[in-house]
Amino acid sequence: MKISKNLVLGLLLILILGCKENTSKHDSKNLVDTLKVNNSKILSDTKETKNTINKSFVISCGSGCAMTYTAESIQSEAPTIKVKFKVEMYLNEKVSDTYYEVYVFKYDTSNNIIKIQPEGKNENVLENLLPDAQESFKKFSIDLIKDKNLEIKSSEICFKESKIKLPYIFRDTKILKYNLLDCNSISGIEKYNCNSEKLRYISLPNREDVNVVLVPQDCGDFDYRYYLLTIKNNRVIDNLYVEGEWYEPEDEENKETTTFSIDKDYNLIVKTETGNSSALQNFTIKNDGKIIKR
C-alpha cells in the first residue's frame, strides 16, 4: 500500500511541533521550580527579625521566562498594606532585567484580600493577570496579613454615636459640631473629604447596620452644602444632597435654598425653595443603605 509523501511530512511536522511545545512548557516549569527552590534557600538562610518580612514568590512569564517578586519594604495602614517589590526577570535561568514595582493590598474586615492594585493604576491583579499569577499574589497576600496582624475596623464602629434623635427637622446644620473620621477602611469615603485630611461628619442615628451621616461639601463655589451619606460593610452605599444654597453669579436674590427632614422610619423630605416657589421630594433609606425616591 502506498503512503502519500505529503501525509508523512504532515505527520512529522505535527510531531516536531508537539515536541517543541512540550519542551517549552517543561522548560518554563523547570525554571519556575528552580527559582522557587533558590528563593526558599535564600529565605531559610536569612534570619528574620520580629519587625522584618522577607517574602518572595515566582510567576511564569512564558517559555523559559520567569519573574521573582521579593518584598523589600512594607507599609501598613488598615485596611491596606503597601509593598515595594524588587522584580527580577529570568530568561533561561539568567537575570535579564531588574526593576521595582509597588502594589497596594486591600483587605475586608475579616482580613480576606479583596483587591491587589499596582500603585497609581486603576487595575486589580486578581482580575487582570493569568490564573497562576493571580494565585501567587493571593498566597502572598495571605502570608502578608498574618505577618502584619492588621486590625481592620468595621465601619459600624468608625463613626461616633449620634446625639441627634429622630425625627430630625432642619435646624441649621451649620451650627452643629463636626466629628473627624479616624478610620481609613471605608471605600469611597475619600471623595467627600473636601480637601481635608480627615472626613468631617455629623452622625445621624444608624438604620440597623447602616451608618447615616451628614458631610459638609464646602470646598466648591458655595460654602454651605451638605450631603447625606449611607455606609454599610465599610463602603459608601449612596449619597443625597439635602441642605445648602445655590445661586447664579451676580443673582443672589434668586437664591435656591435646600433643607430636609428625616423621620423615625428613615423617610426623607427634601425641600427646595426659590423666591416664592418651593418643591418637595420624598426619599427613603432602605435596609441595604440605598436611598430610594418615593
Side-chain angles (χ1 to χ4, degrees):
M1 184 174 91
K2 291 185 179 180
I3 300 175
S4 168
K5 186 183 293 184
N6 290 337
L7 178 60
V8 173
L9 290 174
L11 288 171
L12 286 173
L13 182 60
I14 290 170
L15 286 171
I16 292 169
L17 289 175
C19 289
K20 283 187 176 180
E21 183 178 354
N22 290 334
T23 301
S24 296
K25 289 181 178 179
H26 183 69
D27 289 347
S28 181
K29 185 178 184 303
N30 283 345
L31 177 56
V32 171
D33 291 342
T34 300
L35 291 175
K36 283 182 179 178
V37 171
N38 290 342
N39 281 321
S40 296
K41 185 176 186 306
I42 292 170
L43 293 178
S44 64
D45 291 343
T46 304
K47 291 184 178 180
E48 295 180 8
T49 63
K50 185 176 181 181
N51 297 319
T52 301
I53 300 174
N54 187 6
K55 290 281 193 295
S56 181
F57 61 93
V58 183
I59 63 175
S60 173
C61 51
S63 177
C65 174
M67 300 164 70
T68 64
Y69 283 75
T70 305
E72 293 222 329
S73 68
I74 298 171
Q75 298 175 325
S76 62
E77 182 177 354
T80 63
I81 305 178
K82 185 187 291 187
V83 183
K84 180 181 179 181
F85 289 102
K86 179 182 180 181
V87 184
E88 293 179 301
M89 181 179 287
Y90 286 81
L91 289 176
N92 299 321
E93 300 189 27
K94 293 183 180 180
V95 177
S96 64
D97 196 8
T98 301
Y99 51 94
Y100 293 87
E101 291 181 350
V102 178
Y103 288 83
V104 179
F105 293 73
K106 189 166 187 178
Y107 300 83
D108 63 16
T109 54
S110 300
N111 284 356
N112 296 313
I113 190 68
I114 55 177
K115 188 174 185 180
I116 303 174
Q117 181 176 357
E119 188 177 42
K121 296 181 179 180
N122 188 24
E123 300 175 3
N124 187 359
V125 164
L126 300 178
E127 297 174 355
N128 297 346
L129 294 187
L130 294 174
D132 286 348
Q134 290 183 27
E135 189 62 27
S136 293
F137 270 96
K138 193 169 183 178
K139 286 180 179 178
F140 177 84
S141 73
I142 294 171
D143 292 337
L144 186 63
I145 194 69
K146 287 178 182 177
D147 284 332
K148 297 305 287 182
N149 195 25
L150 280 181
E151 178 186 356
I152 310 296
K153 290 184 180 179
S154 168
S155 59
E156 291 179 59
I157 62 173
C158 281
F159 294 94
K160 293 186 178 180
E161 186 177 351
S162 175
K163 296 179 180 179
I164 296 171
K165 304 298 181 182
L166 298 183
Y168 175 84
I169 300 172
F170 168 70
R171 60 188 74 164
D172 193 0
T173 304
K174 287 188 292 185
I175 67 173
L176 299 179
K177 185 179 179 180
Y178 298 127
N179 292 306
L180 295 177
L181 184 66
D182 287 326
C183 294
N184 294 306
S185 56
I186 301 172
S187 177
I189 201 73
E190 60 280 349
K191 67 182 288 187
Y192 299 98
N193 284 4
C194 212
N195 300 332
S196 299
E197 288 187 11
K198 296 182 178 181
L199 180 81
R200 297 165 294 159
Y201 72 93
I202 298 165
S203 288
L204 294 175
N206 292 354
R207 170 147 204 179
E208 298 179 2
D209 59 349
V210 177
N211 292 100
V212 183
V213 297
L214 292 170
V215 296
Q217 296 296 282
D218 49 9
C219 50
D221 294 333
F222 303 95
D223 60 4
Y224 176 33
R225 291 179 75 81
Y226 285 87
Y227 276 70
L228 184 145
L229 305 183
T230 54
I231 298 101
K232 183 175 181 175
N233 295 332
N234 282 38
R235 184 168 63 91
V236 175
I237 302 298
D238 219 336
N239 71 87
L240 181 68
Y241 170 54
V242 294
E243 185 178 328
E245 294 176 344
W246 179 89
Y247 51 85
E248 292 285 357
E250 302 179 1
D251 189 18
E252 194 170 347
E253 290 183 4
N254 291 313
K255 181 187 298 182
E256 179 184 281
T257 302
T258 300
T259 58
F260 82 104
S261 64
I262 179 170
D263 66 19
K264 291 182 178 180
D265 295 319
Y266 294 86
N267 295 313
L268 290 151
I269 299 176
V270 179
K271 182 179 181 180
T272 302
E273 296 179 287
T274 306
N276 296 323
S277 65
S278 65
L280 299 179
Q281 295 186 84
N282 295 285
F283 302 86
T284 188
I285 301 173
K286 307 296 284 185
N287 291 336
D288 60 0
K290 290 288 187 181
I291 302 173
I292 306 298
K293 194 168 185 177
R294 293 186 293 135

